[in-house]
Amino acid sequence: MARIPALEPPFTPDVEAQLATMMPAGMPPIGLFRTFARNLPMTIAMSHWGRYELSRFLSLTLREREIVILRTCARCGCEYEWGVHVMVFANRAELTPAEVTSLTCGSPDDPCWTAGREAMLFRMVDALHDSCDVDDELWRSAQDLFDERQLLDVPLLCGWYHAICFAARTARVELEPGAPRFVDVTAA
């Protein structure tokens, strides 16, 4: 049960306008955004950064971005945000079921990770989650694969989704209808 219930329509005009900026045209706002809208100044401020993280301006590809996000959400135990990203982006990012399973409960050494950049992203997310840092050896290896823009985007993307996961879990945002569950991949 949600600790902070998501707002339900009808929304006030200012909430309606903000939520409209956060979703594709014609799509109803997801529960997380309706929960955030209970603190409208925060929602307005954070939506600018969120748009960057999901935009073409991010220096990572869509697939690389989703690898970082899915692993971060899995490590944070945030089934809500993980499920939204699997439902909305996994196919667009061309992530296979084996890759989604690995990101959820596997390791960068799983056989599905044949691209060095992708396994490195996996390793970097795990390091950031475990120690809030990337050690010198991992950093040197990452420098061989990523430029400085990308090396800055990875920890900020990972950190942003830690914050999203913390908020979604703490508020107990109710799972989106039709979104996959952890059990869907861990039982496979």
Side-chain angles (χ1 to χ4, degrees), residues 48-97:
H48 297 292
W49 185 253
R51 275 194 290 277
Y52 169 75
E53 294 292 5
L54 296 177
S55 77
R56 290 187 168 99
F57 294 109
L58 186 76
S59 63
L60 303 172
T61 67
L62 169 68
R63 180 177 169 84
E64 291 169 341
R65 179 193 84 197
E66 289 306 309
I67 287 169
V68 170
I69 292 170
L70 289 178
R71 184 59 175 182
T72 300
C73 293
R75 290 296 308 271
C76 288
C78 187
E79 188 171 42
Y80 175 87
E81 191 67 9
W82 174 90
V84 167
H85 276 264
V86 171
M87 180 173 64
V88 175
F89 296 109
N91 283 339
R92 283 192 247 172
E94 297 180 0
L95 290 167
T96 67

Side-chain angles (χ1 to χ4, degrees), residues 86-113:
V86 171
M87 180 173 64
V88 175
F89 296 109
N91 283 339
R92 283 192 247 172
E94 297 180 0
L95 290 167
T96 67
E99 290 166 340
V100 171
T101 298
S102 177
L103 289 166
T104 307
C105 55
S107 86
D109 297 320
D110 290 339
C112 60
W113 301 111

